Amino acid sequence: MGKDIKAFEAEKESANQLFQRNQWRQAQTQYTKLLASKLLERNVLLRAVLHCNRAAASKELGQLRGAVDDCTTALKLNPQYGRAYLRRGRLHMQLDNLTAAVTDFEQALHCEPNPQTEQELKTARQNQRQGSNQQQQQQQQQQRQNRRQHEQYYSYDNPPRPSKREKGPDHYKLLGVEQASSADDIKKAYRTLALKYHPDKCAADTPAQKAEAERKFKEVNEAYAILSDATKRQDYDRQSGVGASCGPSAAYYSSANHYYDMPPGYRGGIS
């Protein structure tokens, strides 16, 4: 067993020397071979070191994602491994994962305080703030561009064309009320007309008069079923074109989400 340990230590030192001579591919291969050794089954700290060393070789070979994975494995084996946090933080900087980099540098500084790590943390935080500001500027620029496109399309020279819809019955006219009438006014009008055209009230009428009263009674009930329900009434006002154009209603454009979809004539204030 003692010979095996000495041989293992010699191979580990050989891998380190390969790395120092910039022979990163050979070093990576050697670290992989060492990680397969049975001598590491119970030595989790040494396994963490080898994973971290292989991450360094992978980084130099441009295999950044694999290097991050090796650092993560090392930290699972040894959560207090400051060098692994530091190395993974630098990898995140190269991958432009600034939030993750800041977190790793903070952990590295907590495990092994030193001025170099503190400076790298400061740099990562500055880059994170700059990236956040740039993202906000890009979002604002996109919003301004969208606004200009909407305003250009809905200009006076190119007004939106109302969609063509087949008009149904005018429920307000059937009940004899205005579109702005309150729910109570609509209910009163409905009761009056329902009583007027109720079949029991038309028992003595001629067959033609009964048929006409039955038709009116049905229309009055259908109109009230729509106008007495706030949601159905709103949908009817928007879609039917009664009392307004057949295009989108002003109510549709009242929310902030649709403000820039509004034609200038629909907007409040100066257009």
Side-chain angles (χ1 to χ4, degrees):
M1 178 65 70
K3 292 182 179 180
D4 292 338
I5 294 176
K6 288 182 179 180
F8 182 90
E9 289 293 339
E11 290 180 0
K12 177 176 176 292
E13 180 60 27
S14 174
N16 292 341
Q17 290 178 1
L18 288 170
F19 181 84
Q20 292 172 2
R21 293 198 298 266
N22 297 339
Q23 294 177 280
W24 300 307
R25 180 73 65 185
Q26 293 89 328
Q28 183 189 58
T29 302
Q30 187 74 359
Y31 288 131
T32 301
K33 179 182 176 181
L34 291 168
L35 283 167
S37 174
K38 293 183 179 180
L39 294 175
L40 294 178
E41 289 180 353
R42 297 183 180 180
N43 195 333
V44 295
L45 296 182
L46 184 54
R47 283 168 57 197
V49 170
L50 290 173
H51 275 290
C52 192
N53 288 355
R54 188 171 67 174
S58 298
K59 170 183 174 293
E60 298 299 334
L61 292 170
Q63 301 170 3
L64 302 185
R65 301 284 182 187
V68 168
D69 291 341
D70 261 332
C71 289
T72 301
T73 302
L75 289 167
K76 288 180 180 178
L77 295 169
N78 181 9
Q80 301 302 317
Y81 195 0
R83 179 174 294 182
Y85 280 118
L86 182 61
R87 184 158 291 161
R88 193 173 67 173
R90 291 169 177 170
L91 289 164
H92 282 312
M93 289 289 287
Q94 286 187 262
L95 292 168
D96 203 29
N97 298 331
L98 299 178
T99 300
V102 168
T103 300
D104 278 345
F105 287 141
E106 288 174 344
Q107 290 294 331
L109 193 62
H110 176 75
C111 295
E112 300 177 8
N114 65 78
Q116 180 180 354
T117 303
E118 188 174 353
Q119 181 59 43
E120 292 190 60
L121 173 59
K122 182 179 179 180
T123 301
R125 285 173 172 168
Q126 289 175 345
N127 291 348
Q128 184 184 32
R129 286 193 294 269
Q130 291 175 358
S132 178
N133 291 337
Q134 289 176 357
Q135 185 177 10
Q136 290 178 358
Q137 291 175 359
Q138 290 174 355
Q139 291 176 348
Q140 292 173 355
Q141 183 178 0
Q142 185 63 44
Q143 290 173 354
R144 288 193 294 268
Q145 183 177 354
N146 292 342
R147 188 183 303 125
R148 285 194 297 268
Q149 290 175 350
H150 284 300
E151 290 177 346
Q152 181 179 3
Y153 181 78
Y154 288 115
S155 65
Y156 286 111
D157 295 332
N158 186 24
R161 298 179 180 180
S163 58
K164 295 181 179 179
R165 295 189 179 95
E166 183 180 352
K167 290 188 177 181
D170 187 337
H171 294 321
Y172 292 101
K173 186 176 181 180
L174 287 171
L175 294 181
V177 296
E178 299 293 333
Q179 189 175 7
S181 298
S182 66
D184 289 337
D185 291 337
I186 291 173
K187 183 184 293 186
K188 290 177 183 178
Y190 161 71
R191 288 179 174 176
T192 300
L193 293 173
L195 183 63
K196 178 180 178 180
Y197 297 115
H198 196 279
D200 293 344
K201 290 287 187 178
C202 306
D205 292 348
T206 64
Q209 290 173 330
K210 288 182 180 180
E212 179 64 11
E214 183 179 353
R215 182 181 65 81
K216 290 284 189 181
F217 185 76
K218 182 179 179 181
E219 290 177 348
V220 166
N221 277 278
E222 289 176 349
Y224 183 70
I226 297 295
L227 300 185
S228 62
D229 185 296
T231 301
K232 293 180 180 179
R233 181 180 179 182
Q234 185 179 11
D235 291 340
Y236 171 76
D237 288 345
R238 183 174 64 248
Q239 298 176 9
S240 68
V242 175
S245 69
C246 295
S249 66
Y252 171 80
Y253 294 112
S254 62
S255 69
N257 290 337
H258 297 297
Y259 177 81
Y260 291 110
D261 293 339
M262 291 175 60
Y266 277 76
R267 300 177 189 163
I270 300 174
S271 59

